[in-house]
Amino acid sequence: MNTQHIHIQFLPQSFSLQKQCTSFTVVKRPSWFNSCSTSGAIVRCSVNEIEEQKQKQQVVKRAYPFHEIEPKWQSYWENNRTFRTPDEIDTSKPKFYVLDMFPYPSGAGLHVGHPLGYTATDILARLKRMQGYNVLHPMGWDAFGLPAEQYAIETGTHPKITTLRNINRFRTQLKSLGFSYDWNREISTIEPAYYKWTQWIFLQLLKRGLAYQAEVPVNWCPALGTVLANEEVVDGVSERGGHPVIRKPMRQWMLKITEYADRLLDDLDDLDWPESVKEMQRNWIGRSEGAEMDFRVLDSDGQERDIKITVYTTRPDTIFGATYLVVAPEHPLLSSLVSTTQSQNIEEYKNLASRKSDLERTELQKEKTGVFSGCYARNPASGEAIPIWVADYVLGSYGTGAIMAVPAHDTRDHEFALKFDISIHSVVMPDDESSSQSEKAYTGEGLIVNSSNLISGLDINGLSCQEATSKVIEWAEKTGNGKKKVNYKLRDWLFARQRYWGEPIPVVFLDGTGETVPLHEAELPLTLPELDDFTPTGTGEPPLSKAVSWVQTTEHSSGKPARRETSTMPQWAGSCW
Ligand code: ANZ
């Protein structure tokens, strides 16, 4: 028998190879073959059988000549507007709305994940039509976004040109798959008639205090003179050019998602989702119950100054064990704490910390770093003067950006205290004796010890951790030293980008006072001005600031001179809304 070696890619589960050759011998099989989902192997196969296979494939082709059938029906559907949802509908029939997630029209065309989801929804749309429903099944484009702008910077091609070209390709590809979309209802997030409503929603949120401005750190690349998206930063340097990137505070628009944290959490219970997905959502929201405690800052004579540091803690029961405070390098009070002898060190430390991501800073196994501020605060429970340190394992963006450190009962604080020789006071006695001998922090439950002070009027000795927590919060609220507090890991949404290719934010700032005034609804849509030069300004100002005659305007009701907002909305704005 005539044989030859061929190399075939195949899936072991389906073993499609068996369909191609009636007999084969695997002559070279990789060791990982059995456990791998896709693999290749050298097989020996009879040439006669391969010929036979080819013939069979032709028969298969004749059995379903898709090149004839599909274009025929697709053009029939197109010409007869088969899937059009009429404007006037028979309202006695029930309605059914099938909405897909709109694709981002990238230069690469559809990927396999698109038809995967769209096929499922298309089956549903067709079924519901057959069952007599009024079905609305539209398609659209999530068409603002970074790649088109980056391409514009590199080639000078306007993002709209690239985006429309890509949309045409996506539409052709989707049509060739025969999905039953009502193409007369196609929408695109970059069209002013659409983004008028994206801007309208922003105005409603602003009116209700759900959109606000805050100073938040962004990825700033001094060499490129621009703010970078997280995905443009790889290992602390810019993806383009490999220049260092630092975190720099900048005024940004935020959306107050945290306002809904509890509702998002509570409503998960009623959702018919897999429990594992719901649990991921709960962790993402990350509800944390604790207290905020105030520590008065002391002057060099040990007298209480007029400033206090508020910390967030989930363990108020350990307050007598708080032997130092830590403030994040970006803490707003830091400059008023630092003694002159320490200011140089602190500046250098802040600089170093600005080069690290939050993830790098909070990694457990990372060696702890920090600098003493030169200043002390009073522990309101024990009355002791405790040092204030600056360390980047405390994040500026969580809680209050400051902690009371309890090295006897927190692993990170323990490591830090050992490194910098800070005292460690044990205040929780483990039920199990052996844990108390440990060289490590004891983070478990137990009985409270060494926790009583006549002067502050707080005594929690002998209580369980839980009882002590309630008692400390009660004491703090009564004495004005703190209050109960709930925090969330969930962050508000940073809703501004220093980019050209996005929806303009519909507000102006009055000249002189800088007061923010929202546009009148009748002024919408505020259209994106034409620009020829998409390159960064070099100052961190968004590219839109180059559209001078667009930026300089007057405020609608007063006619006063004003400047338009030059940041734009993030890509998700149009597609989510
Ligand atoms: C004292 C203490 C004693 C703490 C102890 C823990 C154990 P979750 O559950 O994540 O909310 N913390 C507070 N703000 C922080 C920040 N901005 N950056 C880093 N750490 C911060 O954790 C809350 C605990 O994490 C808080 O409780 C605080 O340390 C720390 F035996 O306070 B704890």
Side-chain angles (χ1 to χ4, degrees), residues 288 312-315 318 393-395 398 401 403-404 406 409-410 412 489:
S288 153
Y312 174 65
T313 175
T314 44
R315 295 290 307 271
T318 62
Y393 76 95
V394 171
L395 301 177
Y398 185 66
I403 66 161
M404 61 177 211
V406 183
H409 305 292
D410 180 273
R412 290 166 307 173
K489 294 266 172 339

mmCIF file of all heavy atoms in Angstrom, residues 288 312-315 318 393-395 398 401 403-404 406 409-410 412 489, ligand 1:
data_model
loop_
_atom_site.group_PDB
_atom_site.id
_atom_site.type_symbol
_atom_site.label_atom_id
_atom_site.label_comp_id
_atom_site.label_asym_id
_atom_site.label_seq_id
_atom_site.Cartn_x
_atom_site.Cartn_y
_atom_site.Cartn_z
ATOM 1 N N SER A 288 -17.001 46.369 53.155
ATOM 2 C CA SER A 288 -16.172 46.170 54.336
ATOM 3 C C SER A 288 -16.725 47.032 55.462
ATOM 4 O O SER A 288 -16.947 48.223 55.300
ATOM 5 C CB SER A 288 -14.730 46.571 53.983
ATOM 6 O OG SER A 288 -14.002 46.991 55.098
ATOM 7 N N TYR A 312 -9.111 54.427 58.577
ATOM 8 C CA TYR A 312 -10.191 53.454 58.445
ATOM 9 C C TYR A 312 -9.683 52.106 58.941
ATOM 10 O O TYR A 312 -8.595 51.673 58.561
ATOM 11 C CB TYR A 312 -10.649 53.314 56.989
ATOM 12 C CG TYR A 312 -11.664 52.205 56.820
ATOM 13 C CD1 TYR A 312 -12.917 52.300 57.426
ATOM 14 C CD2 TYR A 312 -11.360 51.040 56.121
ATOM 15 C CE1 TYR A 312 -13.835 51.272 57.333
ATOM 16 C CE2 TYR A 312 -12.288 50.004 56.013
ATOM 17 C CZ TYR A 312 -13.523 50.134 56.617
ATOM 18 O OH TYR A 312 -14.434 49.112 56.525
ATOM 19 N N THR A 313 -10.461 51.472 59.817
ATOM 20 C CA THR A 313 -10.042 50.169 60.334
ATOM 21 C C THR A 313 -11.219 49.197 60.407
ATOM 22 O O THR A 313 -12.337 49.599 60.721
ATOM 23 C CB THR A 313 -9.392 50.299 61.732
ATOM 24 O OG1 THR A 313 -9.112 48.983 62.224
ATOM 25 C CG2 THR A 313 -10.290 50.998 62.741
ATOM 26 N N THR A 314 -10.933 47.940 60.116
ATOM 27 C CA THR A 314 -11.955 46.904 60.289
ATOM 28 C C THR A 314 -11.766 46.216 61.651
ATOM 29 O O THR A 314 -12.503 45.306 61.994
ATOM 30 C CB THR A 314 -11.844 45.835 59.177
ATOM 31 O OG1 THR A 314 -10.467 45.507 59.004
ATOM 32 C CG2 THR A 314 -12.413 46.340 57.875
ATOM 33 N N ARG A 315 -10.726 46.670 62.387
ATOM 34 C CA ARG A 315 -10.450 46.045 63.686
ATOM 35 C C ARG A 315 -10.356 47.093 64.796
ATOM 36 O O ARG A 315 -9.316 47.215 65.465
ATOM 37 C CB ARG A 315 -9.129 45.254 63.605
ATOM 38 C CG ARG A 315 -9.121 44.051 62.663
ATOM 39 C CD ARG A 315 -9.980 42.894 63.158
ATOM 40 N NE ARG A 315 -9.683 42.455 64.520
ATOM 41 C CZ ARG A 315 -8.773 41.534 64.840
ATOM 42 N NH1 ARG A 315 -8.089 40.926 63.903
ATOM 43 N NH2 ARG A 315 -8.568 41.186 66.098
ATOM 44 N N THR A 318 -8.664 46.354 68.154
ATOM 45 C CA THR A 318 -7.212 46.284 68.375
ATOM 46 C C THR A 318 -6.600 47.667 68.609
ATOM 47 O O THR A 318 -5.383 47.810 68.559
ATOM 48 C CB THR A 318 -6.501 45.627 67.168
ATOM 49 O OG1 THR A 318 -6.731 46.458 66.009
ATOM 50 C CG2 THR A 318 -7.003 44.227 66.895
ATOM 51 N N TYR A 393 2.493 50.907 51.152
ATOM 52 C CA TYR A 393 1.564 49.763 51.263
ATOM 53 C C TYR A 393 0.178 50.245 51.658
ATOM 54 O O TYR A 393 -0.793 49.487 51.613
ATOM 55 C CB TYR A 393 2.112 48.648 52.174
ATOM 56 C CG TYR A 393 2.072 48.846 53.681
ATOM 57 C CD1 TYR A 393 1.016 48.352 54.448
ATOM 58 C CD2 TYR A 393 3.125 49.457 54.343
ATOM 59 C CE1 TYR A 393 0.998 48.484 55.838
ATOM 60 C CE2 TYR A 393 3.119 49.599 55.731
ATOM 61 C CZ TYR A 393 2.050 49.110 56.468
ATOM 62 O OH TYR A 393 2.042 49.239 57.838
ATOM 63 N N VAL A 394 0.064 51.514 52.030
ATOM 64 C CA VAL A 394 -1.249 52.127 52.243
ATOM 65 C C VAL A 394 -1.591 52.939 50.992
ATOM 66 O O VAL A 394 -0.766 53.721 50.510
ATOM 67 C CB VAL A 394 -1.241 53.002 53.513
ATOM 68 C CG1 VAL A 394 -2.521 53.806 53.634
ATOM 69 C CG2 VAL A 394 -1.074 52.110 54.729
ATOM 70 N N LEU A 395 -2.782 52.694 50.471
ATOM 71 C CA LEU A 395 -3.193 53.343 49.224
ATOM 72 C C LEU A 395 -3.974 54.622 49.517
ATOM 73 O O LEU A 395 -4.797 54.650 50.426
ATOM 74 C CB LEU A 395 -4.088 52.400 48.415
ATOM 75 C CG LEU A 395 -3.477 51.057 48.027
ATOM 76 C CD1 LEU A 395 -4.509 50.211 47.288
ATOM 77 C CD2 LEU A 395 -2.247 51.269 47.144
ATOM 78 N N TYR A 398 -8.084 54.188 48.952
ATOM 79 C CA TYR A 398 -9.002 53.330 49.718
ATOM 80 C C TYR A 398 -9.203 53.899 51.119
ATOM 81 O O TYR A 398 -8.272 54.454 51.709
ATOM 82 C CB TYR A 398 -8.476 51.890 49.791
ATOM 83 C CG TYR A 398 -9.459 50.949 50.461
ATOM 84 C CD1 TYR A 398 -10.678 50.673 49.861
ATOM 85 C CD2 TYR A 398 -9.193 50.385 51.706
ATOM 86 C CE1 TYR A 398 -11.611 49.849 50.485
ATOM 87 C CE2 TYR A 398 -10.110 49.551 52.327
ATOM 88 C CZ TYR A 398 -11.318 49.285 51.711
ATOM 89 O OH TYR A 398 -12.233 48.473 52.319
ATOM 90 N N GLY A 401 -7.096 56.706 53.250
ATOM 91 C CA GLY A 401 -5.700 56.882 52.823
ATOM 92 C C GLY A 401 -4.740 56.887 54.005
ATOM 93 O O GLY A 401 -3.580 57.277 53.869
ATOM 94 N N ILE A 403 -3.894 54.577 57.945
ATOM 95 C CA ILE A 403 -4.268 53.452 58.813
ATOM 96 C C ILE A 403 -3.659 53.619 60.200
ATOM 97 O O ILE A 403 -2.643 54.291 60.371
ATOM 98 C CB ILE A 403 -3.821 52.084 58.243
ATOM 99 C CG1 ILE A 403 -2.289 51.964 58.201
ATOM 100 C CG2 ILE A 403 -4.403 51.839 56.865
ATOM 101 C CD1 ILE A 403 -1.799 50.530 58.100
ATOM 102 N N MET A 404 -4.321 52.982 61.173
ATOM 103 C CA MET A 404 -3.650 52.779 62.459
ATOM 104 C C MET A 404 -3.002 51.405 62.306
ATOM 105 O O MET A 404 -3.656 50.441 61.894
ATOM 106 C CB MET A 404 -4.658 52.807 63.625
ATOM 107 C CG MET A 404 -5.736 51.736 63.591
ATOM 108 S SD MET A 404 -6.775 51.834 65.059
ATOM 109 C CE MET A 404 -7.254 50.119 65.290
ATOM 110 N N VAL A 406 -1.336 48.010 63.518
ATOM 111 C CA VAL A 406 -1.350 47.138 64.700
ATOM 112 C C VAL A 406 -0.439 45.943 64.403
ATOM 113 O O VAL A 406 -0.906 44.894 63.955
ATOM 114 C CB VAL A 406 -2.794 46.673 65.004
ATOM 115 C CG1 VAL A 406 -2.831 45.831 66.265
ATOM 116 C CG2 VAL A 406 -3.743 47.863 65.130
ATOM 117 N N HIS A 409 -1.123 42.213 65.233
ATOM 118 C CA HIS A 409 -2.268 41.483 64.686
ATOM 119 C C HIS A 409 -2.531 41.704 63.196
ATOM 120 O O HIS A 409 -3.576 41.328 62.695
ATOM 121 C CB HIS A 409 -3.509 41.811 65.525
ATOM 122 C CG HIS A 409 -3.287 41.524 66.976
ATOM 123 N ND1 HIS A 409 -3.127 40.240 67.447
ATOM 124 C CD2 HIS A 409 -3.116 42.343 68.048
ATOM 125 C CE1 HIS A 409 -2.888 40.273 68.748
ATOM 126 N NE2 HIS A 409 -2.876 41.551 69.134
ATOM 127 N N ASP A 410 -1.610 42.348 62.506
ATOM 128 C CA ASP A 410 -1.752 42.507 61.061
ATOM 129 C C ASP A 410 -0.411 42.159 60.422
ATOM 130 O O ASP A 410 0.635 42.660 60.847
ATOM 131 C CB ASP A 410 -2.144 43.951 60.720
ATOM 132 C CG ASP A 410 -2.303 44.133 59.221
ATOM 133 O OD1 ASP A 410 -1.286 44.421 58.539
ATOM 134 O OD2 ASP A 410 -3.426 43.966 58.727
ATOM 135 N N ARG A 412 1.051 42.749 57.449
ATOM 136 C CA ARG A 412 1.867 43.776 56.780
ATOM 137 C C ARG A 412 2.483 44.728 57.809
ATOM 138 O O ARG A 412 3.648 45.093 57.717
ATOM 139 C CB ARG A 412 1.005 44.566 55.792
ATOM 140 C CG ARG A 412 0.583 43.757 54.590
ATOM 141 C CD ARG A 412 -0.519 44.448 53.820
ATOM 142 N NE ARG A 412 -1.649 44.806 54.709
ATOM 143 C CZ ARG A 412 -2.682 45.534 54.332
ATOM 144 N NH1 ARG A 412 -2.747 45.993 53.110
ATOM 145 N NH2 ARG A 412 -3.664 45.803 55.180
ATOM 146 N N LYS A 489 -14.812 48.178 48.015
ATOM 147 C CA LYS A 489 -13.679 48.090 47.089
ATOM 148 C C LYS A 489 -14.071 48.757 45.761
ATOM 149 O O LYS A 489 -13.241 49.295 45.054
ATOM 150 C CB LYS A 489 -13.308 46.625 46.801
ATOM 151 C CG LYS A 489 -12.772 45.879 47.995
ATOM 152 C CD LYS A 489 -11.265 45.923 48.035
ATOM 153 C CE LYS A 489 -10.644 45.375 49.287
ATOM 154 N NZ LYS A 489 -11.372 45.269 50.514
HETATM 155 C C1 ANZ B 1 -6.102 48.222 61.982
HETATM 156 C C2 ANZ B 1 -6.016 46.772 61.828
HETATM 157 C C3 ANZ B 1 -5.664 45.839 62.770
HETATM 158 C C4 ANZ B 1 -6.381 46.352 60.572
HETATM 159 C C5 ANZ B 1 -5.650 44.517 62.389
HETATM 160 C C6 ANZ B 1 -6.382 45.054 60.139
HETATM 161 C C7 ANZ B 1 -6.010 44.110 61.108
HETATM 162 P P1 ANZ B 1 -10.526 45.686 54.114
HETATM 163 O O1 ANZ B 1 -11.105 44.443 54.655
HETATM 164 O O2 ANZ B 1 -9.819 45.501 52.808
HETATM 165 O O3 ANZ B 1 -11.477 46.857 54.132
HETATM 166 N N1 ANZ B 1 -6.403 49.575 55.474
HETATM 167 C C8 ANZ B 1 -7.337 50.551 55.589
HETATM 168 N N2 ANZ B 1 -7.189 51.491 54.621
HETATM 169 C C9 ANZ B 1 -6.142 51.080 53.873
HETATM 170 C C10 ANZ B 1 -5.494 51.633 52.729
HETATM 171 N N3 ANZ B 1 -5.891 52.790 52.195
HETATM 172 N N4 ANZ B 1 -4.455 50.966 52.204
HETATM 173 C C11 ANZ B 1 -4.030 49.799 52.755
HETATM 174 N N5 ANZ B 1 -4.591 49.232 53.848
HETATM 175 C C12 ANZ B 1 -5.636 49.866 54.408
HETATM 176 O O4 ANZ B 1 -9.296 46.053 55.089
HETATM 177 C C13 ANZ B 1 -9.325 47.077 56.012
HETATM 178 C C14 ANZ B 1 -8.024 47.052 56.771
HETATM 179 O O5 ANZ B 1 -6.953 47.332 55.854
HETATM 180 C C15 ANZ B 1 -8.013 48.130 57.822
HETATM 181 O O6 ANZ B 1 -8.088 47.583 59.138
HETATM 182 C C16 ANZ B 1 -6.587 48.688 57.758
HETATM 183 O O7 ANZ B 1 -5.852 47.908 58.685
HETATM 184 C C17 ANZ B 1 -6.172 48.412 56.327
HETATM 185 F F1 ANZ B 1 -5.325 43.614 63.315
HETATM 186 O O8 ANZ B 1 -6.747 48.668 60.785
HETATM 187 B B1 ANZ B 1 -6.760 47.587 59.733
#
